[in-house]
Amino acid sequence: MRDLLTALVRRLHGLVDDETLAHSGRVAYLAAALGEALGLSREMTRTLYLGGLLHDIGKGVVPAEVLHKPGRLLPEERRLVEAHAAAGESMVLQLAPEMAPDIVDVVRHHHERLDGSGYPDRLCAGDISPAVRIIAVADVYDALINDRPYRRALSPEEALGVLDEEVRCGRLDADVVAALRRVTADEDGLSRAADGRGGQCG
């Protein structure tokens, strides 16, 4: 598995831009920390880490001028961005046909939402795996606390407020967001996750 991961990460470097690569690394570490906070198994925590690393690999097919557009996306541009989830699944299966199904599921479904409003398959709560629920929260949180071409970064507390609203609206998992509050309150724990020592991912 380590050799496979090394090969995929090297390929990932060539497929996505530096910002997407950095985001993927942060999501991987945060998702692993959330897995620990939720008391998940070592195997599941490793799945979260690998899924986080690979979740945005499909953004390599999105034109840079669309991916980094500073203003509102046009409908066709949004379709191009949303296509990255299914494209990522195809890329992982092509590069690593033996990849664990749980990780492939994360790559395809990390933008699904519990109320069925996500993409690409409009899954609802009962069809969304625990790993996808965790990656979804880590993905949104990291996007919110970092600058994007179309908006400034939010503070961690502002970002948690956005996530709380997503929970109230039935889109994100309440238990995972509660775990995120615990993880972000534990600065030492979050630092261990960020430098790769958390998540039992060795």
Side-chain angles (χ1 to χ4, degrees):
M1 176 62 78
R2 187 177 295 276
D3 290 343
L4 174 60
L5 174 60
T6 299
L8 281 171
V9 170
R10 285 176 179 166
R11 188 65 189 271
L12 188 62
H13 273 271
L15 291 172
V16 300
D17 60 280
D18 290 345
E19 180 181 327
T20 299
L21 193 64
H23 165 70
S24 296
R26 293 190 301 265
V27 168
Y29 294 135
L30 180 55
L34 288 172
E36 282 193 336
L38 289 163
L40 301 184
S41 67
R42 180 184 179 90
E43 181 180 357
M44 178 58 79
T45 304
R46 184 179 294 113
T47 292
L48 291 168
Y49 179 74
L50 296 178
L53 279 181
L54 297 174
H55 78 285
D56 267 348
I57 192 171
K59 284 189 175 177
V61 306
V62 182
E65 63 271 19
V66 174
L67 196 58
H68 302 297
K69 184 177 178 179
R72 183 181 297 274
L73 295 177
L74 299 173
E76 178 56 31
E77 292 170 331
R78 179 157 295 283
R79 283 191 289 272
L80 287 172
V81 171
E82 291 185 356
H84 84 273
E89 176 194 38
S90 297
M91 292 165 74
V92 168
L93 289 174
Q94 180 180 4
L95 293 168
E98 69 274 36
M99 181 61 69
D102 285 349
I103 295 173
V104 178
D105 180 44
V106 162
V107 174
R108 180 176 179 89
H109 292 132
H110 62 280
H111 282 288
E112 299 289 356
R113 296 295 180 259
L114 302 183
D115 65 349
S117 65
Y119 63 87
D121 298 317
R122 306 295 180 192
L123 299 182
C124 290
D127 297 316
I128 300 176
S129 72
V132 169
R133 294 171 183 233
I134 291 168
I135 293 289
V137 168
D139 184 33
V140 172
Y141 180 74
D142 185 75
L144 290 172
I145 64 170
N146 286 280
D147 288 328
R148 290 299 171 98
Y150 48 87
R151 59 147 180 81
R152 67 169 181 84
L154 302 184
S155 70
E157 195 54 43
E158 287 173 325
L160 288 168
V162 172
L163 291 175
D164 287 341
E165 182 61 26
E166 291 292 291
V167 168
R168 282 191 290 272
C169 293
R171 289 189 283 266
L172 293 177
D173 188 294
D175 291 338
V176 179
V177 173
L180 178 64
R181 280 196 173 273
R182 297 195 300 273
V183 167
T184 55
D186 176 10
E187 293 185 8
D188 290 338
L190 192 55
S191 295
R192 287 195 300 274
D195 68 14
R197 292 181 284 121
Q200 302 181 42
C201 297

